[in-house]
Amino acid sequence: MLTYQDYLKIPDNDKDRIAFVRRVIDQHKATSLYQTALIADEYDKHQNRTIREYQKLLYDVTGRAIPDNWSANYKMASKFFNRFITQENQYLLGNGVTWQNEATGKKLGNDFDTQLQKLGQKALSGAVSFGFWNLDHVEDFSVLEYAPLYDEENGAMMAGVRFWQVDATKPLRATFYEIDGYTDMMWGQRDNPEGQILHEKRPYIQKIRVSEADGLEIYEGDNYPSFPIVPLWANPQKQSEIVGLREQIDCYDLIKSGYANNVDEGSLIYWTLNNAGGMSDIDLAEFVQKMKTLHAATTDDNVTAESH
C-alpha cells in the first residue's frame, strides 16, 4: 500500500511524479477494497456474477466434464442489493440535513443534500466514497474512480488520484490532488506511452479574466487551509454492504432460477430407455432435448422409450 510518505520520497520531477501516480492507480485496483467494490457495483446493476458464471455440467463415461448446452439454464438476477442500499440510504439521508444555522447549508451549495445522498449510495456499495469541495459545491467520487493517499502517522488523507478511462483501448486520464493544488495527467498516447502532464499544478481557487488581447487568463490563485477531499465510510466496519449479503442473494437467485429450470424441463416427467446401456449422459441429454422440441424421437432396433 502506497502512502503519502512514499510520495514525499520520490524525486521532484515530472517523470517520477507521473510514474508514481500510475503506481497508485494500479495498486489501488489490486486492493481487496477495490475488488469488493467492483463486485458490489455489479450487483447494484443487477448483474449477479455468481449466477452469470454458473454452468451446468454433464459427464461422459470417462468422467470428463462437458458443458450442458441442452437443458434449461435460466440465470435470473434479482434487484435486491440495489433496493436494499437505496432504502438504507434514503432512510438515513432522504430528508436532507438540518442545520442549526440556515446560512451554513447555503454556503455548501444548493444541491448539497442531493450530493450527500449520492455519496451515501456509493459508500454503501463500495465501503467508502469521497466528497470533493470544489469552490462552491460538493462533488462525489466513488472508490472505483478515486485512490487515496493516507498519512502513515495520523491516518489523514493528504493526497489522492481520481482516474477514468472510457475504454481499455483509450487513454487513461487522471487528476492528482494535493494540498497545494491539482495536476492533470494522461497515459496511452502512442507518441508518449509513459504518460504526460496535460496541465501543470494549479491552485483550487482560481480567479480568471478574459480579454481580447490575452484571451482566458488566470491572474490569481489560492488553496484551502486543508485537503479538500473527505472520505465517507458506509459503516464502522469500513466495508461494503455486499459483504455477508452476497451469499444470501446468490442463494435466492439460484433457487429462483432452478425452479424456472424445473418448470421448463417438466421435471415431473422422465424417460426410461430400454436396451440403450451404451448411451452416455450427453446422448441422453440430446434425446430429452429432442423430445422437448420435436415431441418425437427415433430409436434403434430393440430400443424402447417409456415416459413416467
Side-chain angles (χ1 to χ4, degrees):
M1 176 183 178
L2 293 173
T3 64
Y4 183 65
Q5 277 71 18
D6 293 322
Y7 171 61
L8 296 178
K9 295 176 184 177
I10 67 170
D12 187 16
N13 60 74
D14 290 348
K15 181 178 179 181
D16 288 308
R17 289 179 70 228
I18 293 172
F20 178 81
V21 170
R22 184 59 188 264
R23 285 177 57 204
V24 171
I25 296 173
D26 293 340
Q27 290 199 16
H28 177 68
K29 289 183 176 181
T31 62
S32 59
L33 177 69
Y34 182 91
Q35 294 298 322
T36 302
L38 199 61
I39 294 174
D41 185 62
E42 292 178 352
Y43 278 73
D44 189 25
K45 296 175 180 176
H46 322 141
Q47 298 173 359
N48 185 325
R49 177 182 296 191
T50 303
I51 197 169
R52 190 174 69 244
E53 296 177 352
Y54 176 73
Q55 175 64 59
K56 285 186 173 183
L57 298 175
L58 293 174
Y59 298 89
D60 60 15
V61 292
T62 64
R64 182 168 59 97
I66 299 174
D68 181 3
N69 298 320
W70 297 275
S71 60
N73 189 15
Y74 289 94
K75 298 182 178 183
M76 296 184 289
S78 66
K79 296 182 179 180
F80 176 81
F81 185 66
N82 174 266
R83 290 170 177 168
F84 175 76
I85 62 174
T86 299
Q87 182 178 8
E88 182 178 0
N89 186 54
Q90 292 304 308
Y91 175 79
L92 296 171
L93 303 174
N95 293 326
V97 180
T98 302
W99 303 98
Q100 187 173 1
N101 187 346
E102 293 184 3
T104 302
K106 295 180 180 179
K107 292 179 181 179
L108 296 175
N110 296 327
D111 63 342
F112 175 76
D113 289 338
T114 302
Q115 292 300 106
L116 185 60
Q117 291 179 37
K118 292 180 180 179
L119 284 167
Q121 190 85 358
K122 291 180 178 180
L124 292 171
S125 177
V128 63
S129 60
F130 304 90
F132 169 45
W133 176 248
N134 190 1
L135 187 60
D136 58 358
H137 66 284
V138 175
E139 296 184 14
D140 55 290
F141 300 160
S142 77
V143 73
L144 295 177
E145 62 180 339
Y146 181 81
L149 284 174
Y150 295 106
D151 191 302
E152 297 177 7
E153 298 177 358
N154 56 24
M157 190 192 306
M158 302 297 292
V161 182
R162 189 191 183 198
F163 55 92
W164 66 96
Q165 190 173 18
V166 296
D167 186 79
T169 61
K170 303 302 179 182
L172 171 66
R173 290 284 304 273
T175 300
F176 184 33
Y177 295 96
E178 302 175 69
I179 293 179
D180 59 345
Y182 63 97
T183 308
D184 294 324
M185 304 179 183
M186 181 172 67
W187 296 263
Q189 295 294 91
R190 294 180 180 178
D191 56 343
N192 193 359
E194 295 182 356
Q196 65 186 78
I197 291 181
L198 294 179
H199 301 104
E200 295 291 342
K201 185 185 294 185
R202 294 179 288 182
Y204 290 103
I205 304 173
Q206 301 172 13
K207 295 183 179 180
I208 302 172
R209 61 187 173 199
V210 181
S211 65
E212 294 183 1
D214 300 324
L216 183 66
E217 178 187 6
I218 301 174
Y219 68 91
E220 187 178 348
D222 197 4
N223 290 303
Y224 302 109
S226 62
F227 191 57
I229 300 179
V230 179
L232 173 65
W233 292 96
N235 47 55
Q237 294 76 27
K238 295 186 176 182
Q239 62 186 18
S240 167
E241 291 292 273
I242 197 67
V243 177
L245 195 62
R246 178 184 180 183
E247 294 79 7
Q248 299 181 50
I249 298 174
D250 291 344
C251 182
Y252 174 79
D253 289 350
L254 288 171
I255 290 175
K256 181 175 63 175
S257 300
Y259 177 75
N261 292 337
N262 291 340
V263 172
D264 190 344
E265 294 173 355
S267 57
L268 297 179
I269 299 176
Y270 66 93
W271 294 86
T272 301
L273 301 180
N274 299 312
N275 298 322
M279 295 179 67
S280 66
D281 287 352
I282 298 173
D283 297 327
L284 294 172
E286 291 178 340
F287 172 82
V288 173
Q289 180 67 20
K290 185 175 292 186
M291 294 298 296
K292 289 170 59 179
T293 55
L294 299 179
H295 304 288
T298 59
T299 59
D300 295 333
D301 294 340
N302 300 322
V303 175
T304 59
E306 299 178 0
S307 63
H308 299 272

